[in-house]
Amino acid sequence: MVNDLQAWQRERQDELAAPSSWLGLIGLFWLQPGINRVGSAEESEVLLPAGLPEQGKILWEAGEAVWQPADGPEQILKTDLDGAPTVVDIGHLSFFVVDREGQLAVRLRDREWARSAPFAGLAYFPFDADWVVDAAWEVIDPPLVMEVPSVTGDLKTVSVSHRAVFEHAGQAVALLPMSVGGHEVFFVFRDRTSGKESYGAGRFLKAPVPENGRIRLDFNRAYNPPCAFTPFATCPLPPPENWLSLEVRAGEKKYAGKA
């Protein structure tokens, strides 16, 4: 179990140190229907820090975003809604389109980010077997409908039909999932270490799909959301029901570098 955890931590470390890391994001630009100019000119809707005044345009119409470069063929831009988005490279910069409840935005990345701000690495609480929890997967009937906020202030409606229930150090704990997929269950939570030893807005946790009315929660794999590393992420915040009144001294600690 510990060896698997260490391998997972190394993979996460490598991912965040890579050119495509969250730490390389340098901009988030919300698109408007119609033409959105991309370039270094001040009036650009997608403002680049360098390069041509106009590198091209993104045309957003009929539910589709199309990249129209100044010196090349058009390209349909696949968003992150159904998988990996289309990435457009402009020198050491790149951009891609994300979809947030039907609103499109361009994320701009500098792939050479580590030259100016090297990755500070990740820190973890020591492994704690007591935070590997076998929880009950209880049905909520009727389902609970929540308005989940994000760091951008937007609200997303989430319907929750189950919750993970367990006891730790004599306290009853219930966690509501943000999403339940075919391969994993996703949680967002805060605890008494948030803002101190761990990231203030809370942490993420993924768990295998439940079996026979039970779900395994390994809080040693709790990790920081993207917004711990960049101001250009759109992370969900934990609902009040997932603000835990105890310290979860397991998983990832607060990032020591500059977000």
Side-chain angles (χ1 to χ4, degrees):
M1 182 182 295
V2 175
N3 288 339
D4 289 345
L5 176 64
Q6 290 174 341
W8 176 81
Q9 290 173 348
R10 286 193 298 271
E11 289 178 4
R12 180 157 168 77
Q13 178 98 6
D14 292 344
E15 179 184 7
L16 285 167
S20 58
S21 167
W22 288 103
L23 289 153
L25 293 182
I26 58 174
L28 178 70
F29 305 94
W30 295 98
L31 301 181
Q32 300 298 321
I35 292 175
N36 298 266
R37 294 160 293 182
V38 179
S40 61
E42 290 186 6
E43 63 272 17
S44 300
E45 283 75 22
V46 179
L47 181 61
L48 306 183
L52 296 176
E54 186 171 303
Q55 293 281 353
K57 300 181 178 72
I58 297 173
L59 176 62
W60 178 21
E61 65 179 9
E64 189 173 71
V66 178
W67 170 234
Q68 300 175 330
D71 57 355
E74 291 188 354
Q75 182 181 15
I76 296 174
L77 298 178
K78 180 181 176 183
T79 74
D80 67 338
L81 191 60
D82 298 311
T86 304
V87 177
V88 175
D89 295 328
I90 302 176
H92 63 88
L93 302 175
S94 64
F95 72 80
F96 55 96
V97 178
V98 299
D99 186 317
R100 295 296 175 266
E101 303 298 307
Q103 177 63 55
L104 301 188
V106 164
R107 279 195 177 131
L108 180 65
R109 173 177 282 128
D110 180 356
R111 296 191 301 277
E112 296 182 351
W113 61 270
R115 289 188 177 185
S116 58
F119 179 42
L122 299 172
Y124 293 89
F125 291 101
F127 172 77
D128 188 344
D130 288 341
W131 278 111
V132 182
V133 176
D134 177 35
W137 188 238
E138 291 188 350
V139 174
I140 301 174
D141 187 20
L144 175 65
V145 177
M146 300 188 302
E147 295 289 337
V148 178
S150 72
V151 293
T152 61
D154 296 326
L155 295 174
K156 179 179 181 179
T157 302
V158 177
S159 179
V160 184
S161 60
H162 289 79
R163 62 180 181 176
V165 179
F166 61 95
E167 187 174 293
H168 190 275
Q171 290 194 48
V173 181
L175 274 182
L176 300 176
M178 294 297 97
S179 64
V180 179
H183 301 287
E184 64 187 18
V185 181
F186 175 59
F187 299 89
V188 185
F189 73 94
R190 284 184 55 142
D191 65 276
R192 288 286 180 86
T193 71
S194 300
K196 301 172 186 176
E197 293 171 280
S198 66
Y199 181 58
R203 288 180 284 173
F204 289 177
L205 179 66
K206 293 180 179 179
V209 293
E211 292 184 4
N212 302 318
R214 311 294 296 182
I215 186 169
R216 183 176 180 271
L217 306 176
D218 185 354
F219 286 90
N220 295 284
R221 295 180 182 241
Y223 63 99
N224 288 332
C227 53
F229 305 100
T230 175
F232 304 114
T234 55
C235 306
L237 296 173
E241 292 88 344
N242 286 2
W243 291 25
L244 307 185
S245 61
L246 42 73
E247 291 185 334
V248 180
R249 298 184 60 77
E252 200 167 292
K253 291 185 176 181
K254 185 188 301 183
Y255 180 56
K258 183 179 179 181

